[in-house]
Amino acid sequence: MAAATRTARVGAARLGLVGRKLLSAVIVLWGSATAAFVAQASLPGDRATVILNIRAGQAVERTSTELAQINAQYGLQDPLVQQYFRYLRGLLVGDLGVSYQQYRPVTQIIGEQLAPTIILTLTTIVLAWIIMIFWVTLTAGRGRRISGIGSFVDTVTAGLPHYWLGIILLLVFALGLGWFPVIGGSGIQGLFLPALTLAIPLAGFMGQATRTEFENSLEQPFVLSARMRGMGDLGVRLRHVLRHSALPAVTLSGWALGATISGAVIVETVFTRAGIGKVLTTAVNTQDLPVVTGVVVLIAALYVIANLVVDAIYILIDPRLTSA
Amino acid sequence: MTSLRTVLPAGAASRSILRAAATGLYLSITVLAFFAVAAIVPGLLATHSPTALDLSHSLEGPSWQHWFGTDESGRDLYSRVVYGTRESLAIGIGATAVSISIALVLGSIAALARRFVAGAVNRVIEILFAFPTLLLALLLVAVLGPSAMTQIVAVGIGTAPGYARIIRGQILSAKDSGYVEAAVALGHSRRRILGAHIVPNAVRPLVAIITLSIGQSIVWASSLAFLGLGVAPPASEWGALLDAGRTYITQAWWLIVIPGLVIVTLALAATTLGKHIQNILEKGEK
């Protein structure tokens, strides 16, 4: 009987937790959709004229028949509130609007270029974890000097601008040594340098958060007891310490997904790769706002999904959190 | 026995750590002083005119004559970097001013206003924080069109949510502290407590944040410039140098690597100094 009520209570608490997480996810999505709409509505000047000028690439006086057509197509003659709700309704069914420049639905433009960027982003996060685990396990808690060097490298790499790191890697490994293709390149060969460019600063960033936890965990009693059972130093670090110190880096990975996609804007330019970044840069240059805000809403959605996944991973790593 | 063994090497090591930290601090102050001079009197540091064309020496690598090499028109890159310092720093400082002002307003409302308002503003901060800085900046560039002013506003707004969170935390911790409780118990007015206790304690860490932020803002602004969304190329602002150098990446690596290195150096120096200030302030509080 008591056990039954207890499970019921845990179940209710878990449901409440899931509900809260979902609610906050919905609020973030709604907030970003609103920001996207405000950005579109705040283009300076009469919007129909602006759209026509963006299309033509020049600013000229427009006739009322030309304007009427655009106004009808984008529903610009309706009150803003009505446009806002129409935009939200569109988002619910996956409609991101129509590009000013390309006369095509934004979802189509983004959909064509999404795969390379997603592959790049996921590779980056995996690579960053490998680099970070290697570096932290190697240098954390190894006497002051080595730990000092370790954390210095974390700080420096975390602050490296993507464009600069990308160019150095491109110059050294593609142009200098010829190990990788200079432009584009398909498959793993073309993927490695761009992913490394994004992964190194991310590894430094996650390393800063992990290192402190790692060094604290090394002092814990369970480490001592594992050593007494005859476990080797590397085994202790990888099996016990890492698990205890990985939580901050897991949190950062959820956040990093969004940051990495926006970093892809730079990296895709450096390595002349196709992807969302390229779409975004072109759209910003031509003020093609539906495309820009489409990417923004998409990244917000990915961010929200990533954070829900992170919450799930949390519970896998630290079972104590289920009862919280 | 054990205590002796742990104390001795630790003492020696911490001394060497302190020495290393002090070296880092002096280095970063020297770097920042150099850039300050370059911004105020560039003529003092430059070896050539930043605009003098010399087509017989175009695209030459770094040498004794031209420390950072020359560009496609034979202009001396080192002198161009020196003359570009003023505009680059101005963008960094301007963006920091925008960012800290927004952060102060949002952060204090989120910490001090009535529950409903504070909650709503806090939500806004969290939503903005969910967006990567570069993405937020790009959205603003798309609306406003590229220019130096846009760079300042876009980078300022892009970096503001992070600082707003820090400021909110700072005010909240001041509000919950013993001295504020004591002041309330003594019957001081709300305004006096705010002015005499909360504001000074929340504002002091700003010195560190501002230092960090100037370096970071220059990096973000240069990222926009790299994408071709910054100041127009004839200027020798560092981001514009990067953008111009991109065309010659296969022939003249120095045109893009060196301006990038200059930006990284400045950002690293500002970060080091900012962290030192933060440490000193934290020690002072204890």
Side-chain angles (χ1 to χ4, degrees):
Chain A
M1 185 65 202
T5 46
R6 194 177 165 277
T7 4
R9 212 183 316 130
V10 170
R14 211 176 287 174
L15 216 63
L17 191 69
V18 171
R20 263 209 309 283
K21 295 274 180 207
L22 282 178
L23 183 69
S24 98
V26 169
I27 292 178
V28 169
L29 281 179
W30 169 71
S32 61
T34 307
F37 179 80
V38 170
Q40 290 190 52
S42 56
L43 258 185
D46 172 53
R47 273 178 77 198
T49 313
V50 172
I51 292 171
L52 278 171
N53 286 343
I54 287 171
R55 279 192 180 166
Q58 54 186 4
V60 274
E61 206 57 43
R62 299 292 171 180
T63 60
S64 53
T65 38
E66 278 181 304
L67 292 179
Q69 194 201 337
I70 292 289
N71 273 327
Q73 189 190 344
Y74 289 91
L76 296 176
Q77 72 285 17
D78 299 334
L80 268 184
V81 183
Q82 205 175 324
Q83 290 184 41
Y84 174 61
F85 282 111
R86 191 168 52 225
Y87 181 69
L88 287 187
R89 212 179 313 127
L91 286 183
L92 283 181
V93 295
D95 176 13
L96 291 169
V98 177
S99 159
Y100 291 163
Q101 192 82 35
Q102 302 189 32
Y103 309 91
R104 291 195 297 154
V106 174
T107 33
Q108 197 183 336
I109 296 171
I110 293 178
E112 283 165 10
Q113 302 291 333
L114 191 58
T117 304
I118 295 286
I119 293 171
L120 175 65
T121 306
L122 294 178
T123 316
T124 297
I125 290 179
V126 172
L127 212 55
W129 269 92
I130 295 172
I131 297 171
M132 187 273 284
I133 289 175
F134 176 77
W135 186 243
V136 169
T137 320
L138 194 73
T139 59
R142 305 258 191 211
R144 297 247 180 170
R145 187 153 301 165
I146 294 179
S147 309
I149 293 172
S151 80
F152 176 73
V153 170
D154 285 347
T155 314
V156 172
T157 50
L160 284 180
H162 289 136
Y163 61 79
W164 196 66
L165 184 59
I167 278 167
I168 299 284
L169 292 177
L170 183 74
L171 282 170
V172 174
F173 293 105
L175 284 167
L177 298 169
W179 291 356
F180 298 97
V182 177
I183 287 175
S186 53
I188 296 174
Q189 278 242 303
L191 183 65
F192 187 72
L193 285 183
L196 193 63
T197 306
L198 290 168
I200 289 175
L202 181 59
F205 203 66
M206 295 197 301
Q208 289 176 325
T210 311
R211 186 173 299 273
T212 328
E213 289 283 311
F214 200 94
E215 285 175 349
N216 288 340
S217 300
L218 274 174
E219 310 288 320
Q220 297 292 315
F222 62 79
V223 170
L224 190 64
S225 90
R227 286 195 205 283
M228 277 163 59
R229 274 185 275 121
M231 203 174 205
D233 185 51
L234 191 66
V236 170
R237 281 169 180 258
L238 289 177
R239 292 268 310 268
H240 293 282
V241 178
L242 195 61
R243 183 172 179 145
H244 271 259
S245 45
L247 280 185
V250 172
T251 318
L252 281 178
S253 300
W255 166 86
L257 192 77
T260 307
I261 294 180
S262 83
V265 177
I266 303 268
V267 169
E268 283 167 10
T269 305
V270 173
F271 293 93
T272 3
R273 258 180 80 88
I276 292 295
K278 203 85 194 187
V279 171
L280 185 57
T281 324
T282 318
V284 170
N285 253 319
T286 53
Q287 295 202 303
D288 194 347
L289 271 169
V291 176
V292 177
T293 55
V295 175
V296 168
V297 169
L298 175 79
I299 291 181
L302 288 174
Y303 172 87
V304 163
I305 295 169
N307 275 290
L308 291 175
V309 173
V310 161
D311 287 329
I313 295 178
Y314 249 59
I315 291 173
L316 284 181
I317 294 182
D318 192 347
R320 286 174 299 185
L321 290 173
T322 13
S323 50
Chain B
M1 188 63 207
T2 33
S3 66
L4 199 67
R5 202 188 294 159
T6 47
V7 164
L8 271 180
S14 73
R15 220 173 302 135
S16 82
I17 295 257
L18 277 181
R19 212 177 308 131
T23 318
L25 179 63
Y26 293 137
L27 258 175
S28 48
I29 291 177
T30 314
V31 167
L32 295 175
F34 177 87
F35 285 125
V37 173
I40 300 164
V41 269
L44 209 61
L45 296 170
T47 52
H48 294 72
S49 151
T51 48
L53 304 180
D54 181 2
L55 289 170
S56 59
H57 291 99
S58 64
L59 294 179
E60 275 180 10
S63 62
W64 284 114
Q65 187 65 38
H66 299 286
W67 298 346
F68 290 178
T70 61
D71 69 5
E72 73 279 9
S73 316
R75 291 174 295 196
D76 180 58
L77 182 61
Y78 167 72
S79 305
R80 285 180 69 72
V81 167
V82 168
Y83 274 92
T85 310
R86 186 180 297 165
E87 200 174 350
S88 301
L89 278 183
I91 290 176
I93 292 170
T96 300
V98 171
S99 155
I100 300 290
S101 313
I102 297 172
L104 266 177
V105 173
L106 290 182
S108 356
I109 295 176
L112 297 170
R114 281 173 205 290
R115 208 171 146 200
F116 180 73
V117 180
V121 172
N122 200 20
R123 271 277 161 221
V124 171
I125 296 176
E126 292 300 323
I127 290 173
L128 287 177
F129 187 71
F131 285 103
T133 306
L134 188 63
L135 192 68
L136 215 51
L138 283 174
L139 183 63
L140 286 154
V141 176
V143 175
L144 301 170
S147 73
M149 203 57 214
T150 303
Q151 262 183 311
I152 291 174
V153 174
V155 172
I157 293 179
T159 52
Y163 299 133
R165 285 177 102 208
I166 298 177
I167 289 169
R168 171 176 174 266
Q170 214 74 44
I171 297 179
L172 281 182
S173 77
K175 210 168 101 178
D176 290 339
S177 65
Y179 51 80
V180 167
E181 220 169 278
V184 173
L186 286 171
H188 288 310
S189 68
R190 237 182 107 81
R191 173 177 292 183
R192 171 138 182 230
I193 294 172
L194 203 64
H197 299 290
I198 296 179
V199 170
N201 277 295
V203 162
R204 213 179 300 135
L206 277 185
V207 185
I209 296 179
I210 288 172
T211 318
L212 286 169
S213 167
I214 292 176
Q216 284 311 304
S217 300
I218 290 178
V219 171
W220 287 121
S222 66
S223 299
L224 289 180
F226 178 82
L227 294 171
L229 302 169
V231 185
S236 73
E237 190 267 328
W238 298 343
L241 290 180
L242 277 178
D243 188 27
R246 224 175 58 189
T247 327
Y248 298 96
I249 182 165
T250 50
Q251 301 139 274
W253 57 267
W254 54 91
L255 285 181
I256 192 156
V257 171
I258 292 180
L261 186 62
V262 169
I263 293 167
V264 172
T265 310
L266 176 78
L268 198 61
T271 310
T272 313
L273 183 65
K275 285 199 170 151
H276 264 276
I277 298 174
Q278 212 166 16
N279 281 344
I280 293 166
L281 290 174
E282 272 169 15
K283 261 180 215 145
E285 270 165 29
K286 272 171 198 160

